[in-house]
Amino acid sequence: MPRRIGLLGGTFDPVHIGHLRGALEVAELLALDELRLVPSARPPHRERPSVSAQDRLAMVRCAVAGVAPLTVDDLELRRDRPSYTIDTLESMRSDMDPRSPLFLLLGWDAFCSLPAWHRWEALLEHCHIVVLQRPDADVEPPEALRDLVAARTVSDPKALDGPGGQITFVWQTPLSVSATQIRQSLATGRSVRFLVPDAVLAYIEAHGLYRAPNTAGTPGTASHGKPPSASTLKSE
Ligand code: ATP
């Protein structure tokens, strides 16, 4: 049986329950053998991450330890150039049975920004695209993606067929949490407990990450951060 592999790339600055819950639900829905979380070393066209690639990788490792079929792949950190998803897909494909399906998971905001990605039109040659809906998602994709969505969408994710080339939309448990909100909470001394796994929180605290210098050690209070906005589109 060809292995069924998924890929969720991200800055993971830090990894949070929105990433993890979405990844786990898609892995179950699509009966994946493995779902690789791939931290981006140098996200193109986006602000430098707040903490080092090694810290972001370590936090993802803490988050998925023992949570099969989630795994971590550091291949983008081993490359000495910007982290283009097309390169990652080509690299993963070169190690796979060509008949094996490969699933690229993208949050709605990342999906909407696809036309700004390096060689984005080639992505579907290597994989299916699975779009994780976010609670703040617009209903319609941007104009540049409408024809592609109309031609390639399969409404039932379980009906995705072949090694790649199709798009589907998944409504996982809505979690309106973003890394931006978590960084803001930490910088102002508020708690992010239950927004990230306890092991990630322990890593953040042990390494003093994300704290504004004058708030280190401030006791946490409940977080009421602004939810992510679909208008803060990313590109690569
Ligand atoms: P930031 O707030 O720093 O922009 P982020 O929370 O969007 O970060 P990323 O690491 O940039 O996190 O996201 C990686 C992938 O996970 C993207 O495809 C993104 O759309 C998706 N994602 C992030 N948060 C959620 C969420 N709450 N629900 C569903 N998908 C999400």
Side-chain angles (χ1 to χ4, degrees):
M1 275 287 278
R3 274 169 62 76
R4 298 169 64 80
I5 297 179
L7 151 67
L8 174 64
T11 313
F12 301 124
D13 188 20
V15 65
H16 55 68
I17 57 166
H19 303 127
L20 296 163
R21 192 61 221 168
L24 198 55
E25 289 185 19
V26 169
E28 284 181 341
L29 180 72
L30 299 178
L32 300 186
D33 295 297
E34 184 180 356
L35 175 42
R36 300 179 188 167
L37 277 71
V38 183
S40 167
R42 282 196 266 150
H45 309 307
R46 149 172 192 146
E47 277 176 31
R48 258 174 87 94
S50 306
V51 307
S52 72
Q54 290 308 326
D55 279 330
R56 291 182 288 110
L57 173 68
M59 288 187 280
V60 180
R61 286 207 166 116
C62 291
V64 306
V67 189
L70 305 189
T71 63
V72 188
D73 192 331
D74 66 353
L75 90 169
E76 292 193 0
L77 273 55
R78 288 185 266 112
R79 280 204 300 250
D80 185 27
R81 53 182 192 278
S83 306
Y84 293 122
T85 300
I86 187 70
D87 296 338
T88 302
L89 288 169
E90 286 176 351
S91 161
M92 284 174 71
R93 265 285 169 217
S94 67
D95 291 335
M96 286 173 67
D97 181 333
R99 293 165 305 163
S100 290
L102 181 57
F103 303 89
L104 173 65
L105 276 63
L106 295 175
W108 171 260
D109 57 327
F111 177 69
C112 290
S113 69
L114 268 190
W117 289 25
H118 182 58
R119 293 178 52 211
W120 70 276
E121 278 150 318
L123 295 173
L124 282 170
E125 292 169 18
H126 302 286
C127 63
H128 297 298
I129 292 180
V130 179
V131 184
L132 305 173
Q133 294 291 24
R134 286 177 82 149
D136 55 340
D138 296 329
V139 181
E140 291 291 330
E143 184 68 43
L145 290 175
R146 279 194 198 143
D147 288 349
L148 185 75
V149 167
R152 303 292 189 102
T153 297
V154 172
S155 54
D156 178 0
K158 291 186 174 172
L160 289 172
D161 192 28
Q166 297 174 322
I167 301 172
T168 198
F169 295 82
V170 171
W171 290 94
Q172 82 284 10
T173 304
L175 290 164
S176 183
V177 53
S178 70
T180 303
Q181 167 199 351
I182 290 170
R183 291 193 300 274
Q184 285 169 352
S185 292
L186 287 166
T188 51
R190 284 178 289 156
S191 172
V192 297
R193 186 121 199 244
F194 308 131
L195 295 177
V196 300
D198 284 351
V200 172
L201 185 54
Y203 186 97
I204 289 172
E205 288 176 348
H207 294 81
L209 305 182
Y210 303 111
R211 302 271 172 200
N214 59 351
T215 59
T218 305
T221 55
S223 169
H224 300 288
K226 189 176 156 294
S229 153
S231 61
T232 52
L233 300 184
K234 281 166 272 198
S235 57
E236 67 151 37

